[in-house]
């Protein structure tokens, strides 16, 4: 009798569960801010400020190739991304200014340029929803893939290339359409 392979969404859930929780976004406030950037483009905001907790500061600050996931309090994973330099490089506390006056605000604000519009939209539709950001270093990812077996264990040829391994897993998750916020990687494009 052969062992049945897990379905892609089951594998994604296993990866999410094995990742280290590092940030919990508890709510958004009515206070608006924008990034301290002279160029006015969509990524500067204005954005709603978040009430959040850093759950594992060491993991947030660690410099390494890693994959990260964003999930909701409904148990669904919404986004996956990678960083060559650690998660704080992608989930940063950005210098913030008042969107009307441009005056520097007293504290930096948590931000992720690709996820924040989705977080705001979901929070508007379901006030009180909570999001969690989790991360996994390349070495731990290799260990988890060994335990999960096929099909992702085939990526272990990249075991010594942690940057390549996290990139390959991110691509697999997006190709299988297991996340909804990775619009750049999950949209089907017309090639003419």
């Amino acid at each position: 009798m052969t062992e049945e392979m897990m379905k892609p969404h089951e594998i994604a859930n296993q990866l999410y569960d094995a990742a280290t929780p590092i940030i919990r976004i508890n709510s958004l406030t009515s206070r608006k801010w924008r990034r301290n950037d002279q160029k006015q483009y969509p990524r500067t905001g204005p954005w709603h400020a978040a009430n959040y907790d850093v759950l594992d500061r060491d993991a947030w600050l660690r410099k390494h190739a890693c994959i990260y996931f964003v999930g909701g309090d409904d148990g669904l994973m919404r986004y996956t991304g990678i960083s060559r330099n650690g998660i704080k490089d992608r989930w940063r506390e950005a210098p913030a200014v008042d969107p009307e006056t441009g005056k520097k605000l007293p504290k930096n604000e948590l931000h992720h340029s690709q996820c924040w519009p989705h977080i705001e939209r979901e929070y508007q539709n379901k006030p009180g929803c909570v999001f969690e950001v989790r991360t996994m270093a390349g070495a731990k990812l290799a260990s988890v893939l060994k335990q999960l077996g096929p099909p992702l264990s085939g990526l272990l040829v990249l075991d010594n290339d942690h940057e390549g391994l996290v990139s390959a897993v991110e691509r697999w998750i997006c190709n299988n359409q297991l996340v909804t916020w990775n619009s750049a990687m999950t949209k089907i494009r017309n090639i003419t």
Side-chain angles (χ1 to χ4, degrees):
M1 185 175 183
T2 61
E3 192 173 314
E4 193 173 315
M5 232 188 315
M6 282 192 284
K7 293 180 171 66
H9 75 276
E10 293 170 326
I11 295 169
N13 290 342
Q14 292 281 331
L15 291 170
Y16 183 78
D17 290 344
T20 302
I22 57 162
I23 300 169
R24 182 176 303 115
I25 301 168
N26 300 306
S27 65
L28 296 183
T29 70
S30 59
R31 186 171 40 84
K32 294 275 210 156
W33 68 280
R34 70 174 172 79
R35 285 173 48 182
N36 186 13
D37 193 331
Q38 298 306 312
K39 296 177 276 177
Q40 294 297 314
Y41 62 105
R43 290 184 175 187
T44 63
W47 305 108
H48 287 278
N51 288 318
Y52 64 96
D53 295 311
V54 176
L55 305 172
D56 189 329
R57 185 160 295 280
D58 290 340
W60 190 32
L61 298 175
R62 194 168 298 124
K63 298 280 189 188
H64 57 238
C66 63
I67 189 166
Y68 61 92
F69 312 101
V70 180
D73 55 0
D74 56 6
L76 298 177
M77 189 167 61
R78 286 152 170 80
Y79 186 87
T80 185
I82 61 166
S83 177
R84 302 164 78 177
N85 302 314
I87 192 77
K88 184 119 166 67
D89 194 48
R90 300 290 290 136
W91 283 88
R92 61 179 55 103
E93 290 174 313
V97 298
D98 181 280
E100 310 259 329
T101 66
K103 183 180 176 187
K104 185 171 178 12
L105 294 175
K107 70 181 197 84
N108 293 346
E109 296 292 343
L110 181 69
H111 188 67
H112 183 283
S113 58
Q114 293 170 4
C115 290
W116 216 259
H118 297 286
I119 289 172
E120 288 199 348
R121 197 168 15 261
E122 280 205 34
Y123 195 80
Q124 182 179 5
N125 293 331
K126 185 186 167 199
C129 59
V130 175
F131 300 98
E132 193 166 272
V133 181
R134 296 181 177 197
T135 188
M136 192 180 322
K140 182 175 179 185
L141 179 60
S143 173
V144 171
L145 296 183
K146 285 175 190 165
Q147 293 173 358
L148 290 176
L152 286 186
S153 60
L155 298 175
L156 290 172
V157 297
L158 298 169
D159 187 13
N160 292 326
D161 176 8
H162 293 159
E163 189 176 320
L165 184 61
V166 298
S167 295
V169 172
E170 176 195 35
R171 173 58 63 194
W172 182 86
I173 289 170
C174 291
N175 285 348
N176 281 281
Q177 299 181 347
L178 300 171
V179 289
T180 55
W181 292 359
N182 284 73
S183 56
M185 292 182 71
T186 56
K187 283 183 183 172
I188 298 173
R189 299 169 189 241
N190 292 328
I191 300 174
T192 54

